[in-house]
Amino acid sequence: MKSNVIKIGSVLFLGLFFLWKFSNYLTGAEPVGWDTGGHYQLANVYRESFENFDSLAWDDGWFGGFAAFYFYPPFFYFLTNIISIFLPVSFPFAFGFGIFLIIPLLSYSIIRFLNVFVLNRLPLSYLLPIYGTSVLFYFSYSGDGLQGTSAIGMQQGTFISSLAHGFLLISLTHLEVFRKTKSREEGIKFILISSLLIYTHFLTSFFWGLAVLLHLIVFRKDWFQNLKSYFFFFIAILMLSFPILYNYLKFSGYTSGIFYGYTYPPLLSILGKDAYDVALASTGNGENFLIAYIRELLLSGRIVSIFLLFGFVSLCVRFLKHRNGRRYATVFTFFFLWLSLDNTFGYIIPGLMIHNYRAFDSAFLGFSMLSVLGVTHIMMRWKWKLPVQWGLVFLFLFTLRNFIFFQPKEVLSDRNVSKEMELHLHEAEKALELLPKGALVFPEIVRTSIILDTPHFWSNLLRKHGLRNALGLTVESSLYPTLAFNWEEFGLEHTFRWGTNLSWKNLWVSSLTGDNENAQLPEFLRRSGVRYLTGHTGAFYEFIKNRKNDFKILFRSGPFLIVELLYPSEKPNLPGGYLSYSWLHSKTATKPDVFLRDSNTILARLVSHNILIRIVNLESSSEFSDDDLKQSLSFLFLSVDPKYSLDGIAYAKSFAQKGIHIILLGVPAPPNDPYIWDWSPDVEEKMKTYLKTLQLKTNPWKFHNIGYFPELKESDGKSLYQSDSHQLAVINGKERINVSLSGFRSKWITWALILLPIFYLLVPIIRKTRYLSFS
């Protein structure tokens, strides 16, 4: 009875500290953070789709609309909406409360992992300070927030990753308990919580797969003895998570997400980057860095990290000798520490698009648990005069002190902007309100810690005024931002390129053979259907000022500019089609990003010679006949691998016989052929001559401000094609089209989001029900 009172009191104590420390999530204000605004916008998108019981959505809020929740699983957004439905609170409060709930869940998962893998039978006076120190040490982490670790990572917007890590630790504990007990209940819980993890966060799901593989390696004898059960577990997980996995694997080529090869210093993060930064700044005053760093370690309380580091190292030497849970926890920590520093996975399998540095969060969770137990063993072994339990209490109090005084760095809110800047921003908002609803606006984005410079600030601000943001969200980006960031190199090269590091600039620059380079970015924006631009830096103003024939300034207040993109009266002629030999030969289509790269490489050269056409990818067509091609295209760009040049030219001749002008990419054309040309220096003159004969030809193509996505279907059954700006192109279509996402997986996912957590919570009750027991 007494121990239960102590446990309950400890939980209440920790809960009150969490309420105090993380009260910013419970204010009801719209959340602030680097990626947080994007998650908030997606939560609102999910809110609208959930009204129809859908968990996939086509949202018009950013460039051309976007297929939401195909590439970023929806469980957290589902949770936020459930809170807003069942509690009488505002939606911003529900969103913040959803983030806050992650903190006790992750704390519980740390304690459970400790109990199952690490701790033997220890008295309560040992356990409570070990629990508290592990949890609070993790939440007072002070490294780089981009690693997604702890409270500082959550502040930057990685709270969904934190939720998934809670599920990961709990999943592993069920797997371990099943190994020891062969309990069906634990096996079923493992299936359910692992499936829920996949519906929460893809990157952590990948880490979960690696963690389970480590479990197999460490406990391989147990696995092989119960191979049938483990095989059933993973078949069940695959079946339950199939709709969400299918979306990602099938359509990941339509997102700009890429592999990032960044690393951050883990030892510095553990010892305290805040103390390091202060010491480094002191060297500017002539201080010795080492002395300043030691002083800051002592004054900040980060000296406790050194003791924990020694404890961790001593524990690893002991634990690696045994085949038990402690050995697994040690291997788990070292493996993810290595993964956070090594980019090998990303380079071997770039399609995974993993952020390897985020593995440090898994490693730091393991370190936070094992290091405390390491200190405990050192105290026991050296038989200090101070009782071990009091030593652990002092360790906990030091960690508590760090937790109390550590403040994660926030992205500055607009309330921290100067009064003068706030006034200018208010005037800019009034000007935005006057723009036509639904207009596509291209915002200038630069990277600083001020919220005005973050992409999600502009995305939410434009949406608030009924406008669409051309650049979209960083948490779930279409291919269009990749294209846009590359074209920004031609005039707005100072802008922040988020979500991608693909650089096509050198390829495009090498294609510029004319003298019209300044027109490249404005022409791209016109192809994209952009109507207005907004910016607030000197570089943006200079870009606009030097292109008076392309832009008209509508509004200026302080640094803020709103400009209109001018469209000349003449329109481009019939578009060119794009095909690859591989598609003609084996129906192997060009990847969507490769088409955008190749088509815009062509256009970069043509625009520099004042040739304005569009390019449409015809490889999605199954019913296009040669006659249709002849009537609806000005040219056909045929990409041919040089090793298949003879076959490619033979295909080109079959089209040329129908009167279609072919431009070969990659191989030379037959000499003096009137219909087959290659990408030679004189091709522009040939194209100009031919285009003059097409001036009176009716253009049957319509380009719509809707992003291309293969799951989109048009209500009248028209075929939809990817254009050079990633817009939809339709032949013989209407001025306005109605599109919708196809497939039944949307409602399947919704049912999974509802039933997985319910069944997980009901498993213990079902076990105790006589007619529903597992035995």
Side-chain angles (χ1 to χ4, degrees), residues 386-451:
L386 181 69
V388 174
Q389 56 264 45
W390 283 109
L392 289 174
V393 168
F394 283 129
L395 184 65
F396 169 73
L397 292 176
F398 265 108
T399 308
L400 178 63
R401 184 258 185 204
N402 291 349
F403 177 73
I404 291 172
F405 288 103
F406 174 63
Q407 183 62 42
K409 182 181 178 182
E410 297 183 9
V411 174
L412 299 179
S413 72
D414 53 335
R415 291 181 295 275
N416 299 112
V417 176
S418 68
K419 291 292 184 182
E420 182 182 4
M421 184 68 78
E422 192 173 345
L423 177 62
H424 292 312
L425 178 60
H426 179 69
E427 293 298 317
E429 280 203 63
K430 290 197 296 184
L432 289 173
E433 185 68 31
L434 298 176
L435 298 182
K437 302 303 178 187
L440 193 61
V441 181
F442 195 93
E444 177 200 31
I445 297 172
V446 293
R447 183 179 183 177
T448 70
S449 61
I450 299 174
I451 195 170

Side-chain angles (χ1 to χ4, degrees), residues 537-556:
T537 68
F540 180 81
Y541 176 71
E542 289 298 318
F543 170 77
I544 299 298
K545 186 179 70 173
N546 293 332
R547 291 166 175 81
K548 295 181 179 179
N549 293 331
D550 295 310
F551 302 102
K552 176 184 177 183
I553 297 178
L554 299 180
F555 166 85
R556 186 176 186 184

Side-chain angles (χ1 to χ4, degrees), residues 64-84:
F66 190 68
F69 315 116
Y70 275 74
F71 315 117
Y72 214 95
F75 178 71
F76 175 79
Y77 312 117
F78 166 79
L79 174 65
T80 297
N81 280 274
I82 289 296
I83 293 171
S84 69

Side-chain angles (χ1 to χ4, degrees), residues 118 163 475 664:
V118 179
L163 173 62
V475 295
L664 293 174

